[in-house]
């Protein structure tokens, strides 16, 4: 058989069902690929023993005839998800050595469906970052390299963030799919940077139980795969109501794969004028135009819409997310788990300050301090309350727009992947990466990034589709059409083995 | 009668507000399924949510909401059909999340009232500002190890109601009565067991002083006072301290203080010295609590008769004194006991409640409470049931035993749990009311004691006591004294 | 209002319980001022009569029944503790 790691989930599922392939074969191929991928630094914990055990169980299950679409499929898990008995640190030094006694609902859903766990994936520390450069375990390298770039053909690019390990493991053919999480674009932006498909469902679709919290009102789990169909299959597995999460939606999960009819005739696709940014690279504008033309050709109706408060989404986000984070991260205090730094004779207060200074990286410290500041006495109304009101306006913008259209089409990110180190000293420049993804996160809407083309130097570019609440089906369907129209974009040359 | 603290120059008034933390009666915690029972081994009643493990999320216990609403209704307070849980952010070893989930801007219960009845017979309404639900913290133990503090999270996440009064109290007595009355109400409706020794109820006491007629002074908050007596003592001591400072020309710093009942002082809490900035904001892991009128109606329906109503009924229907009614309704157990006792007496005698209540009240408050007190017991482990008490009182009422004998019988009942009739029967304590038999004894006595008869007839009427004594002696104390008197006098008079 | 000075950085670092060495205060003050200055553009937005949005979920809170369904797992609670003794978490002594 050909290289098994090149298979897509849907193809592997069919081959497994037919008996042309065993999960064990598939899993062994992936374990090998994971091993060989170390230079990318996507995996921070490898679990080959668990993978093999899962694979054998999956083969039994397939034989017994009660397999699901995910049974026997090797996947990898963003380190934000607690995995029972497997170290979980959210790539923060402060969670050193933490081995949870519990399993996140998202991963439990995958294991219940028979998926195979390859390991834990690198990410920005506590999901705070847009380049996967804030991880305690070092940066992840984008498997794609630029051709004829001024930086030379061996220059390393960031995979985007915070789900940099997730997209990289999938783009580099080391996992068939990966879990990811999106707070302000952490699935969509890295998916765009690596030529993968990434989808974040409606807030409340996936349980947050067992997912290390960054900003609770924004965090939403999702998946990264190498095709829209694979995304639909895996998303269906991870979604579902969970009584353990008070914000989990008590709704049935539709058959997402069934939505991929390829037929978007008559669908109304909104194009928000505010997403035309000054100084946005021409190739991004061109890609967007191409996307509009594709869906139009497929019979959709293009509707010009306005999301007037778009430019305020980022500043509102950088109040709300740090505010929630400053509180969510207060539990990392060196008392019950993780790192403790207590010099001789240290008081409890000394221990707190030393532990948190040593345990949190710079970006996390920065955001905790911003969050603390905007919530502190005298500033709450001016910052936090103001941001919540702006959030309402942004949400209202979408509600108004969705009276005229079914989905919204935009670029995913204002640029292709940038070089490592390029923006790491400029927090604001880094934050601006999420300009197109943050508004939908604030509104809690489903959104996906689908690979749509390559930049002039051969790096992947993505288009973003945003949907109405609970309408992941139309997001997936539209993405499917764009994917087909974009054709084969190729794959990164394997330089890391 | 105003409570006044006399300084060396001026008279001062004290202004008191209370924040009472009452543990909500529930099987499981406010936001987790761990148990709330008292006294378990350390960290055995802790879920991963209570320990604030990464990614753990709160889910709310319906019973805690219901009990909060019932408590509000019992205080005649406004119930908020929309309330919000906020995070109160601060660091402490026994606060695992680094924040306490509480209610800040939108509490579940608004303004209500508690009426206190003072010793001088007056009553006063103390306004309650709000009640909100919140999590309790864990417990830090500082005395187990020379260098370490040990933390037990069993209490972490247990539901509390914080009942905040307005600064309406003007004396230690009023504050004590307020806490006592609040405790009574909570115990009546079963929303808190009121067990102050186990920490189910504790008060933060805000105290300030001022010269009469002046605006409010700077207040100090005395944390975690855990008995009514300590509430009164802490206020007295703290008010005196503040007066002394002011009269010395100093000023009061707003601060958090600790009451030390052993040393009889309050002192500044070092750990709380730093100014707090709690950074409240709505907890994004939870959604607003909302319910409808039907829910409130059902909560109201579930309330028992409240102490004030019961007090009023005891006076008007049973005809017992206001004081006695007050004592009897102060504890739900005693009012329940009393009512069962009255019911049994009415049942057995066919008399009206008002005809039997006064004696019954005296017996409960005298003999019964006395015996319980002496034995260190409470009504919940009282060996004598209301039905047994009624039987005993019935025996006095129908003349079977004398009041004096009844005391002895009760003593045995209390010890053995036997019924009064059984004891009277077995011990042969039945009063002799047979006039023939008593007449015979009297006649014999008159014959045997002619000198004493003569003394009586010569005007020394006190001698009748001698003959009563002799009759009682002859009957082993069992002669019905009323009958003895009735028969003896005409015979002596000749 | 967006100007965050060294003293403010020190104060919020203390509130955040993050030890920041003196020599980092200046740099952080600049960075945070820069970010807060950028955030100030929110003041351009008219938010009069707008209800603040705390969550994308607009339903009410689900309630769970009052049942003991958790706890009794001291080992799981303590297993990751940096210091646990006699079934307790142990921290440097606190003086009240």
């Amino acid at each position: 058989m050909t290289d098994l790691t090149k298979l897509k989930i849907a193809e592997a599922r069919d081959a497994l069902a037919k008996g042309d392939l065993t999960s064990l074969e598939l899993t062994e191929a992936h374990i090998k690929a994971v091993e060989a991928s170390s230079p990318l630094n996507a995996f921070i914990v490898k679990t080959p023993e668990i993978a093999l055990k899962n694979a054998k169980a999956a083969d039994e299950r397939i034989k017994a005839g009660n397999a699901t679409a995910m049974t026997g499929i090797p996947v990898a898990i963003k380190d934000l998800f607690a995995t029972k008995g497997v170290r979980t640190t959210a790539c923060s030094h402060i969670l050193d050595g933490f081995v949870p006694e519990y399993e996140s609902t998202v991963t439990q859903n995958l294991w219940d469906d028979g998926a195979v766990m390859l390991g834990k994936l690198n990410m920005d520390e506590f999901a705070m970052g847009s380049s996967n450069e804030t991880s305690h375990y070092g940066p992840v390298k984008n498997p794609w390299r630029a051709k004829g770039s001024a930086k030379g053909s061996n220059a390393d690019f960031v995979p985007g963030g915070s789900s940099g390990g997730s997209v990289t493991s999938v783009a580099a053919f080391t996992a068939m799919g990966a879990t990811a999480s999106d707070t302000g674009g952490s699935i969509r932006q890295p998916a765009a940077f690596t030529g993968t498909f990434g989808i974040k469902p409606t807030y409340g679709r996936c349980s947050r139980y067992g997912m290390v919290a960054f900003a609770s009102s924004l965090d939403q789990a999702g998946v990264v795969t190498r095709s829209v169909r694979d995304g639909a299959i895996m998303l269906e597995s991870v979604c579902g109501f969970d009584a353990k999460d008070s914000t989990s939606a008590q709704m049935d999960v539709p058959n997402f794969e069934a939505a991929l009819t390829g037929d978007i005739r008559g669908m109304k696709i909104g194009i928000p004028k505010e997403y035309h940014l000054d100084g946005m690279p021409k190739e991004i504008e061109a890609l967007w135009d191409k996307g509009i033309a594709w869906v139009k050709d497929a019979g959709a109706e293009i509707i010009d819409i306005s999301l007037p408060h778009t430019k305020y989404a980022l500043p509102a986000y950088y109040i709300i997310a740090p505010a929630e984070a400053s509180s969510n991260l207060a539990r990392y205090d060196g008392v019950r788990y993780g790192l403790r730094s207590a010099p001789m004779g240290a008081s409890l207060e000394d221990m707190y300050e030393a532990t948190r200074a040593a345990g949190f990286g710079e970006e996390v410290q920065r955001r905790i301090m911003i969050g603390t500041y905007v919530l502190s006495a005298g500033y709450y109304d001016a910052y936090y309350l103001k941001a919540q009101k702006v959030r309402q306006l942004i949400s209202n913008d979408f509600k108004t727009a969705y009276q005229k259209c079914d989905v919204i089409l935009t670029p995913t990110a204002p640029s292709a992947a940038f070089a490592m180190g390029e923006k790491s000293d400029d927090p604001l420049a880094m934050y601006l990466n999420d300009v197109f993804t943050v508004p939908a996160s604030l509104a809690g809407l489903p959104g996906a990034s689908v690979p749509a083309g390559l930049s002039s130097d051969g790096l992947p570019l993505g288009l973003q589709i945003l949907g109405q609440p609970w309408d992941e089906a139309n997001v997936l369907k539209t993405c499917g059409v764009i994917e087909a129209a974009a054709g084969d974009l190729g794959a990164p040359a394997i330089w890391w083995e | 009668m105003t409570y006044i603290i006399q300084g060396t120059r001026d008279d001062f008034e004290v202004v008191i507000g209370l924040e009472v933390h009452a543990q909500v009666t529930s099987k499981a915690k406010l936001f987790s399924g761990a148990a709330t029972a008292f006294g378990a081994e350390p960290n055995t009643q802790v879920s991963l949510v209570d320990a604030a493990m990464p990614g753990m999320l709160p889910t709310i216990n319906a019973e805690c909401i219901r009990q909060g609403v019932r408590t509000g209704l019992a205080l005649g307070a406004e119930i908020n059909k929309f309330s919000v849980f906020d995070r109160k952010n601060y660091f402490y070893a026994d606060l695992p999340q680094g924040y306490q989930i509480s209610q800040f801007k939108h509490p579940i219960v608004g303004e209500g009232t508690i009426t206190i009845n003072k010793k001088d017979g007056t009553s006063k309404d103390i306004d309650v500002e709000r009640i909100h639900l919140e999590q309790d913290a864990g417990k830090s133990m500082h005395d187990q190890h020379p260098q370490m503090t040990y933390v037990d999270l069993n209490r972490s996440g247990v539901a509390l109601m914080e009942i905040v009064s307005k600064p309406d109290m003007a004396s230690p007595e009023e504050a004590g009565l307020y806490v006592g009355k609040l405790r009574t109400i909570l115990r009546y409706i079963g929303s808190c067991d009121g067990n102050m020794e186990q920490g189910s109820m504790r008060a933060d006491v805000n105290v300030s002083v001022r010269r009469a007629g002046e605006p409010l002074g700077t207040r100090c908050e005395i944390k975690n006072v855990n008995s009514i007596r300590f509430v009164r003592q802490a206020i007295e001591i703290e008010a005196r301290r503040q007066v002394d400072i002011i009269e010395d020309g100093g000023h009061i710093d707003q601060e958090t203080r600790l009451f030390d009942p052993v040393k009889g002082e309050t002192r500044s809490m070092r750990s709380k010295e730093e100014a707090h900035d709690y950074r409240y904001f709505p907890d994004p892991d939870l959604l607003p609590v909302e319910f409808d009128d039907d829910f409130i109606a059902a909560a109201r329906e579930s309330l028992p008769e409240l102490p004030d109503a019961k007090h009023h009924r005891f006076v008007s229907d049973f005809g017992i004194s206001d004081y006695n009614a007050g004592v009897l309704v102060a504890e739900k157990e005693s009012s329940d006991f009393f009512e069962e006792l009255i019911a049994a007496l009415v049942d057995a005698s066919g008399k009206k409640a008002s005809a039997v209540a006064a004696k019954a009240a005296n017996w409960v408050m005298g003999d019964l409470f006395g015996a319980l007190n002496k034995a260190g017991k409470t009504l919940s482990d009282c060996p004598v049931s209301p039905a047994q008490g009624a039987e005993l009182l019935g025996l006095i009422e129908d003349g079977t035993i004398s009041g004096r004998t009844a005391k002895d019988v009760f003593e045995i009942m209390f010890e053995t749990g036997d019924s009064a009739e059984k004891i009277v029967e077995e011990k042969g304590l039945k009063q002799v009311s047979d006039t023939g038999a008593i007449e015979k004894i009297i006649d014999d006595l008159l014959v045997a004691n002619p000198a004493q008869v003569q003394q009586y007839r010569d005007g020394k009427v006190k001698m009748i006591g001698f003959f009563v004594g002799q009759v009682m002696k002859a009957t082993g104390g069992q002669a019905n004294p009323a009958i003895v008197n009735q028969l003896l006098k005409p015979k002596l008079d000749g | 209002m967006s100007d965050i000075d060294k003293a403010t950085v020190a104060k919020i670092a203390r509130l955040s319980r993050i030890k920041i060495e003196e020599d980092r205060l200046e740099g952080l003050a600049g960075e945070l001022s820069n970010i807060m200055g950028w955030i100030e553009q929110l003041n351009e937005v008219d938010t009069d009569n707008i209800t603040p949005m705390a969550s994308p979920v607009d339903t009410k809170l689900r309630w769970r029944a009052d049942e003991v369904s958790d706890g009794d797992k001291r080992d799981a609670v303590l297993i990751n503790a940096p210091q646990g003794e006699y079934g307790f978490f142990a921290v440097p002594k606190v003086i009240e």
Side-chain angles (χ1 to χ4, degrees):
Chain A
M1 191 167 253
T2 52
D3 186 352
L4 295 178
T5 61
K6 297 284 169 24
L7 287 175
K8 300 207 171 74
I9 292 174
E11 295 163 349
R13 169 193 60 187
D14 297 344
L16 286 164
K18 275 194 240 150
D20 295 347
L21 172 70
T22 67
S23 175
L24 195 58
E25 293 168 313
L26 190 62
T27 299
E28 280 170 339
H30 279 91
I31 289 172
K32 242 174 88 184
V34 168
E35 270 313 316
S37 76
S38 295
L40 296 173
N41 200 25
F43 281 82
I44 57 159
V45 178
K46 296 163 187 168
T47 56
E49 299 83 6
I50 295 174
L52 292 171
K53 205 175 112 224
N54 291 163
K56 284 171 195 155
D59 284 330
E60 291 295 318
R61 185 165 169 179
I62 292 164
K63 246 188 259 165
N66 56 1
T68 74
M70 286 304 293
T71 305
I73 303 298
V75 297
I77 305 301
K78 186 176 182 178
D79 201 33
L80 199 68
F81 297 90
T83 41
K84 189 171 181 173
V86 177
R87 194 186 73 194
T88 301
T89 64
C91 288
S92 179
H93 185 34
I94 207 155
L95 269 169
D96 260 6
F98 179 67
V99 179
E101 290 284 312
Y102 51 97
E103 187 77 30
S104 81
T105 298
V106 158
T107 47
Q108 189 61 53
N109 287 343
L110 284 170
W111 316 143
D112 288 349
D113 280 350
V116 172
M117 176 160 92
L118 294 165
K120 301 297 288 286
L121 296 167
N122 206 335
M123 56 183 278
D124 278 303
E125 182 182 4
F126 284 112
M128 296 181 193
S130 305
S131 65
N132 213 127
E133 291 171 292
T134 71
S135 167
H136 177 61
Y137 298 95
V140 177
K141 291 177 182 172
N142 194 325
W144 292 80
R145 283 179 162 173
K147 57 167 199 259
S149 140
K151 298 176 184 79
S153 56
N154 289 331
D156 288 322
F157 284 78
V158 302
S162 66
S163 307
S166 305
V167 293
T168 297
S169 71
V170 172
F173 304 100
T174 59
M176 303 189 83
T179 62
S181 72
D182 194 313
T183 303
S186 280
I187 294 176
R188 291 161 286 162
Q189 182 254 23
F193 279 15
T194 53
T196 52
F197 175 71
I199 182 164
K200 154 212 185 294
T202 312
Y203 182 88
R205 202 46 123 176
C206 286
S207 169
R208 293 184 296 111
Y209 179 87
M211 186 168 85
V212 177
F214 161 13
S216 309
S217 78
L218 294 155
D219 295 343
Q220 184 57 206
V223 299
V224 176
T225 55
R226 281 194 301 273
S227 76
V228 177
R229 181 169 302 277
D230 286 4
I233 292 169
M234 190 168 171
L235 184 66
E236 193 177 321
S237 175
V238 297
C239 286
F241 171 66
D242 180 8
K244 295 200 286 282
D245 173 1
S246 295
T247 61
S248 166
Q250 215 152 3
M251 289 176 89
D252 290 336
V253 180
N255 180 340
F256 289 137
E257 195 182 1
L260 304 178
T261 58
D263 182 2
I264 57 165
R265 282 174 301 171
M267 190 188 272
K268 294 189 171 76
I269 298 184
I271 309 299
K273 63 174 188 213
E274 289 81 6
Y275 281 52
H276 291 281
L277 292 187
D278 289 343
M280 188 158 77
K282 285 218 171 57
E283 57 189 8
I284 302 288
E285 287 281 359
L287 178 84
W288 195 4
D289 289 340
K290 228 168 22 176
I292 293 170
W294 288 335
V295 293
K296 212 165 158 182
D297 286 351
E301 192 186 335
I302 301 302
I303 310 280
D304 288 322
I305 58 165
S306 173
L307 300 168
H309 296 93
T310 298
K311 81 173 268 214
Y312 302 108
L314 265 182
Y317 174 87
Y318 275 95
I319 290 174
I320 292 167
E324 293 184 14
S326 71
S327 178
N328 280 334
L329 270 58
R331 65 188 57 200
Y332 305 105
D333 57 6
V335 175
R336 295 166 313 286
Y337 41 76
L339 184 73
R340 169 181 293 191
S341 174
M344 277 296 285
S347 68
L348 178 68
E349 294 293 329
D350 297 338
M351 183 190 94
Y352 285 153
E353 293 196 341
T355 300
R356 292 165 63 81
F360 292 134
E362 263 184 44
E363 179 61 21
V364 172
Q365 291 189 10
R366 187 152 42 224
R367 294 203 199 185
I368 289 175
M369 285 198 275
I370 292 172
T372 302
Y373 179 66
V374 299
L375 287 176
S376 64
Y379 295 105
Y380 181 88
D381 286 3
Y383 290 122
Y384 189 73
L385 206 62
K386 181 82 183 180
Q388 281 194 324
K389 288 178 178 176
V390 172
R391 184 178 190 179
Q392 186 71 263
L393 289 169
I394 288 161
S395 178
N396 291 348
D397 283 355
F398 280 110
K399 279 182 193 142
T400 306
Y402 281 132
Q403 287 169 1
K404 294 200 290 184
C405 64
D406 302 305
V407 297
I408 293 169
L409 168 63
T410 78
T412 307
S415 73
F418 44 89
M420 282 173 82
E422 190 180 318
K423 297 186 180 178
S424 40
D425 290 333
D426 185 350
L428 268 185
M430 190 68 90
Y431 298 171
L432 292 172
N433 255 289
D434 296 328
V435 60
F436 297 144
T437 50
V438 153
S441 292
L442 288 171
L445 301 172
S449 176
V450 58
L454 298 175
S455 70
S456 53
D457 46 7
L459 291 172
L461 298 172
L463 285 172
Q464 171 176 245
I465 300 293
L466 302 177
Q468 301 185 22
W470 317 114
D471 191 18
E472 291 82 3
N474 269 327
V475 172
L476 287 160
K477 190 200 284 191
T478 311
C479 285
V481 169
I482 293 172
E483 179 185 50
D488 186 5
L489 300 173
I494 296 180
W495 51 264
W496 54 86
E497 287 194 352
Chain B
M1 224 171 42
T2 321
Y3 178 82
I4 293 290
I5 304 152
Q6 287 180 329
T8 48
R9 289 185 297 277
D10 298 313
D11 285 352
F12 286 80
E13 299 172 355
V14 60
V15 178
I16 304 153
L18 288 169
E19 292 160 24
V20 174
H21 298 263
Q23 180 177 335
V24 178
T25 301
S26 64
K27 296 193 208 75
K29 293 182 180 180
L30 182 54
F31 294 116
S32 88
T36 58
F38 178 79
E41 286 292 300
N43 290 311
T44 55
Q45 290 177 173
V46 181
S47 78
L48 300 174
V49 177
D50 308 321
M53 292 288 165
M56 291 297 100
L57 298 170
T59 54
I60 197 160
N61 184 338
E63 179 63 6
C64 300
I65 296 173
R66 197 180 78 92
Q67 292 290 26
V69 169
R70 292 178 78 242
T71 304
L73 292 169
L75 304 188
E78 92 194 79
I79 305 298
N80 295 322
K81 285 187 270 186
F82 175 95
S83 66
V84 175
F85 280 100
D86 297 289
R87 292 185 183 176
K88 179 181 181 179
N89 295 284
Y90 64 98
F91 287 86
Y92 199 64
D94 54 25
L95 187 74
Q97 293 162 144
Y99 53 84
Q100 176 194 37
I101 305 179
S102 180
Q103 297 188 302
F104 183 52
K105 274 194 188 155
H106 303 281
I108 191 163
V109 175
E111 294 188 8
T113 310
I114 292 177
T115 305
I116 55 169
N117 301 304
K118 298 172 66 173
K119 268 211 193 84
D120 62 9
T122 61
S123 64
K124 179 174 176 180
D125 284 349
I126 309 295
D127 284 343
V128 168
E129 191 169 294
R130 57 185 279 160
I131 302 175
H132 62 257
L133 293 169
E134 63 183 26
Q135 300 174 294
D136 203 352
K139 201 167 168 2
S140 292
M141 270 149 285
H142 309 298
D143 52 0
Q144 309 282 309
H145 185 286
Q147 283 95 37
M148 308 299 289
T149 287
Y150 285 165
V151 179
D152 171 16
L153 299 180
N154 279 350
R155 285 194 71 86
S156 165
V158 166
L160 302 178
M161 293 178 277
E162 181 170 332
I163 302 149
V164 183
S165 84
K166 295 200 171 160
D168 277 1
M169 286 153 280
S171 70
E173 183 206 0
E174 289 183 7
L177 288 171
Y178 170 86
V179 177
K181 185 61 174 289
L182 175 59
R183 179 172 175 274
T184 300
I185 294 170
L186 298 181
R187 285 168 55 82
Y188 263 65
I189 67 171
S191 65
C192 170
D193 68 18
N195 194 328
M196 298 187 85
E197 300 82 63
Q198 293 180 0
S200 299
M201 248 183 100
R202 48 193 200 264
D204 295 344
V205 187
N206 287 294
V207 179
S208 66
V209 297
R210 62 177 173 194
R211 293 184 180 86
E214 284 190 350
L216 285 178
T218 306
R219 65 187 166 85
C220 290
E221 183 181 14
I222 310 162
K223 279 275 183 204
N224 273 334
V225 185
N226 63 1
S227 83
I228 293 173
R229 189 161 59 93
F230 289 167
V231 166
R232 289 195 301 253
Q233 285 177 2
I235 293 167
E236 271 171 39
I237 289 164
E238 175 61 16
R240 168 55 62 187
R241 184 188 73 90
Q242 293 184 12
V243 166
D244 290 348
I245 289 174
I246 293 169
E247 292 227 308
D248 282 353
H251 70 280
I252 307 299
D253 294 324
Q254 182 163 346
E255 61 177 354
T256 305
R257 301 182 68 83
L258 206 61
F259 174 58
D260 185 336
V262 179
K263 292 188 180 152
E265 62 176 28
T266 69
R267 62 169 183 272
S268 188
M269 284 178 85
R270 267 205 271 176
S271 60
K272 303 267 180 184
E273 255 175 15
E274 188 173 18
H276 279 299
D277 186 343
Y278 290 125
R279 290 158 285 137
Y280 284 99
F281 75 107
D283 190 331
D285 286 333
L286 294 162
L287 302 169
V289 175
E290 292 176 72
F291 43 76
D292 56 16
D293 290 321
D294 289 350
F295 178 74
I296 299 174
R300 195 187 299 278
E301 197 64 31
S302 75
L303 290 179
E305 184 183 29
L306 295 170
D308 284 348
K310 205 180 276 286
H311 184 137
H312 185 254
R313 184 165 58 82
F314 279 9
V315 173
S316 63
D317 291 10
F318 293 172
I320 64 172
S321 73
D322 193 57
Y323 174 79
N324 284 2
V327 172
L328 288 168
V329 301
E331 292 284 348
K332 187 168 191 309
E333 285 80 0
S334 57
S335 68
D336 284 350
F337 190 99
F338 182 65
E339 291 208 75
E340 283 174 48
L341 179 68
I342 297 292
L345 283 169
V346 166
D347 219 33
S349 67
K351 290 183 186 163
K352 285 207 294 191
S354 55
V356 295
K359 281 186 189 160
N362 286 335
W363 177 76
V364 169
M365 291 169 58
D367 295 14
L368 183 66
F369 284 1
L372 287 169
N373 222 352
K374 210 170 125 195
K377 291 189 177 196
T378 64
L379 274 175
S380 56
D381 50 9
C382 179
V384 177
S385 70
Q388 288 176 314
E391 192 187 294
L392 178 69
L393 292 177
L395 292 176
I396 306 173
E397 198 60 33
D398 69 11
T400 310
I401 55 174
S402 67
R404 178 70 206 83
T405 307
K407 287 189 192 298
D408 300 336
V409 173
F410 174 65
E411 217 166 89
I412 301 167
M413 288 169 74
F414 198 85
E415 226 154 76
T416 62
D418 283 346
S419 81
E421 285 197 34
K422 186 176 169 222
I423 295 163
V424 168
E425 196 61 47
E426 282 179 5
K427 307 256 172 190
L429 297 175
K430 230 177 223 164
Q431 179 162 260
V432 178
S433 301
D434 178 343
T435 45
I438 295 173
E439 239 172 322
K440 170 86 178 48
I441 293 167
I442 292 172
D443 290 343
D444 292 350
L445 276 170
L446 295 191
V447 172
N449 300 286
Q452 284 82 352
V453 173
Q454 196 51 51
Q455 282 177 11
Y456 175 86
R457 289 188 178 152
D458 289 347
K460 207 171 173 191
V461 291
K462 271 192 197 153
M463 282 310 291
I464 194 166
F466 165 77
F467 288 102
V468 172
Q470 291 299 311
V471 175
M472 295 313 265
K473 196 174 165 191
T475 59
Q478 288 172 26
N480 184 328
I483 293 173
V484 173
N485 271 311
Q486 197 188 323
L487 296 174
L488 191 58
K489 199 153 182 295
K491 283 183 193 284
L492 278 171
D493 288 343
Chain C
M1 145 159 105
S2 62
D3 226 25
I4 298 183
D5 56 16
K6 277 169 67 177
T8 308
V9 175
K11 196 187 122 204
I12 57 181
R14 170 66 191 142
L15 270 177
S16 310
R17 295 299 184 275
I18 298 173
K19 175 119 191 112
I20 303 283
E21 299 300 340
E22 173 68 27
D23 59 2
R24 273 184 69 203
L25 292 177
E26 189 77 57
L28 269 168
E31 266 177 31
L32 297 187
S33 294
N34 198 22
I35 293 167
M36 293 315 296
W38 167 72
I39 283 174
E40 293 289 309
Q41 60 180 301
L42 286 182
N43 293 331
E44 298 163 12
V45 186
D46 177 5
T47 51
D48 290 352
N49 305 315
I50 301 297
T51 314
M53 176 173 166
S55 167
V57 181
D58 56 8
T59 54
K60 58 183 184 179
L61 188 60
R62 272 190 317 274
W63 303 353
R64 60 166 228 281
D66 181 26
E67 287 156 6
V68 176
S69 56
D70 207 339
D72 196 16
K73 51 174 73 160
R74 175 151 80 179
D75 291 347
V77 165
L78 285 166
I79 194 165
N80 281 289
Q83 195 174 354
E85 287 179 16
Y86 308 110
F88 294 98
F89 295 100
V91 300
K93 196 170 190 80
V94 178
I95 296 144
E96 285 210 317

